[in-house]
Amino acid sequence: MFMKAVIDILQREVPYLNSSRNKALLVAFLAVFTLIFLVVYNPFNMIEWGGSILGYVGIGTVVMLVSQFPLRNILGVRKFRLYHLFIWIIGELFVITFFVYLVYGPLFPTFKERVHEYLETLKFVCLIIIGPYFLFVWFLAYRHKLSNYQDVARYNASIDPGIDNKLLTIIAENNKTVLAINSNHLLFVRSSGNYVDIYYLKGDILSKELVRMSLKGIEVKLKGSSVLRVHRSYMVNTNMISSFKKTRKGYNIRVQHASEEIIPVSLGYKDQFEEALGLNVPH
């Protein structure tokens, strides 16, 4: 159970490090912070290193720019998850250390001495970079979360307070009632072959029920409610949307209590979605 929880956390998306703007801001922040820190504090007996502060900062900046832009594209890691972030940071630290050692490291005669010097350099690089790196990532995460809250507030302000708060009863093909929930507790429905996964809230806990029926059957039963078909494989409760982002073909939706799930709005349902949310979008 504990391992599953850890794996779920590591699988969470880090959308705030996907945009070119945020990646550029991260590199710029680390470069400016490192320059000021090294100039003002001259830490770790730097006066004895014999290198150039601008050289150290320049090496780190170039490595970060290559890592965050062309390398991510080459390796196909365009969207970060949390485990990607940890792996990426470790890799960047090792590469920055390698080039700092290559340019400024003394030429020791033995391999053991060279390894020791590299590890010492790695320790200093980590001490300088890790703190501000995670601080800025936390800032981006906080700003992203705040933006989601603002999206929710704007959307909630547009919701008609007269929307019915009715009980939705899901009946399987054998005419047995498998689920009866308040419409405000339903999050989204996802088609899975001859079955549908119904995601809903049981108290404050996200729950899932697998039901043998078609998404079309669910759509008929929920007709007239706030649950809307947005994709051939998805329905979503528009009252539970936390944020949405326009894409080339439609939208990507996130819902409350299941922020790791991205629900697509396909082109065929785009107009219906915009109409339901009262979006005045030029076509």
Side-chain angles (χ1 to χ4, degrees):
M1 196 71 180
F2 173 75
M3 285 304 299
K4 184 180 184 301
V6 171
I7 292 171
D8 288 342
I9 291 172
L10 292 175
Q11 287 284 351
R12 289 179 183 173
E13 287 197 348
V14 186
Y16 35 87
L17 271 180
N18 292 338
S19 73
S20 297
R21 180 175 180 273
N22 283 353
K23 289 187 287 187
L25 285 174
L26 171 65
V27 176
F29 173 78
L30 288 177
V32 172
F33 175 90
T34 304
L35 180 62
I36 294 174
F37 181 74
L38 295 182
V39 169
V40 173
Y41 292 101
N42 195 25
F44 315 127
N45 296 319
M46 272 189 58
I47 196 170
E48 300 177 2
W49 291 12
S52 162
I53 290 178
L54 287 177
Y56 298 138
V57 175
I59 289 172
T61 302
V62 170
V63 170
M64 290 287 296
L65 285 171
V66 172
S67 167
Q68 291 294 329
F69 289 95
L71 187 60
R72 278 182 60 173
N73 291 333
I74 291 170
L75 297 180
V77 189
R78 292 180 177 85
K79 293 185 177 182
F80 259 176
R81 294 186 181 273
L82 196 56
Y83 71 89
H84 286 141
L85 177 62
F86 290 133
I87 294 172
W88 217 260
I89 291 174
I90 292 170
E92 287 170 338
L93 292 173
F94 273 92
V95 175
I96 290 171
T97 301
F98 172 77
F99 282 106
V100 168
Y101 174 75
L102 190 66
V103 175
Y104 295 111
L107 296 175
F108 288 106
T110 67
F111 177 75
K112 183 178 180 180
E113 289 175 316
R114 292 173 187 172
V115 170
H116 179 266
E117 181 66 18
Y118 176 85
L119 294 177
E120 282 292 300
T121 306
L122 177 63
K123 179 179 73 175
F124 295 141
V125 169
C126 291
L127 289 172
I128 293 170
I129 293 180
I130 283 182
Y133 201 127
F134 279 107
L135 178 66
F136 196 76
V137 168
W138 174 85
F139 166 74
L140 292 176
Y142 173 78
R143 192 175 66 169
H144 178 78
K145 194 171 185 178
L146 184 63
S147 175
N148 282 347
Y149 287 152
Q150 290 170 343
D151 286 344
V152 173
R154 284 194 295 268
Y155 175 65
N156 287 342
S158 69
I159 294 177
D160 182 357
I163 290 176
D164 288 339
N165 186 20
K166 61 184 179 181
L167 189 69
L168 301 176
T169 303
I170 309 299
I171 301 175
E173 291 177 343
N174 57 7
N175 291 323
K176 288 183 62 177
T177 300
V178 294
L179 188 64
I181 60 174
N182 187 290
S183 60
N184 283 341
H185 294 170
L186 182 64
L187 298 178
F188 67 95
V189 183
R190 178 171 60 200
S191 175
S192 180
N194 295 326
Y195 294 83
V196 291
D197 290 314
I198 301 173
Y199 290 79
Y200 64 100
L201 292 179
K202 186 183 293 184
D204 290 328
I205 301 174
L206 176 64
S207 301
K208 181 176 76 169
E209 190 77 30
L210 183 65
V211 181
R212 183 177 174 81
M213 65 186 308
S214 67
L215 197 63
K216 181 65 177 176
I218 291 284
E219 185 177 10
V220 171
K221 292 178 181 295
L222 301 181
K223 188 174 182 179
S225 74
S226 59
V227 183
L228 183 71
R229 183 80 172 262
V230 294
H231 188 274
R232 67 179 182 178
S233 301
Y234 286 92
M235 297 180 69
V236 68
N237 186 347
T238 55
N239 289 347
M240 299 300 287
I241 293 175
S242 62
S243 66
F244 52 86
K245 180 179 180 181
K246 192 171 177 58
T247 64
R248 186 168 56 88
K249 294 185 177 181
Y251 292 87
N252 283 337
I253 302 172
R254 292 182 187 272
V255 297
Q256 299 174 45
H257 306 283
S259 59
E260 71 282 358
E261 296 282 349
I262 298 178
I263 302 168
V265 178
S266 62
L267 190 60
Y269 295 93
K270 179 170 169 284
D271 292 345
Q272 180 182 340
F273 174 75
E274 291 174 347
E275 181 181 351
L277 270 64
L279 300 178
N280 186 16
V281 180
H283 294 279

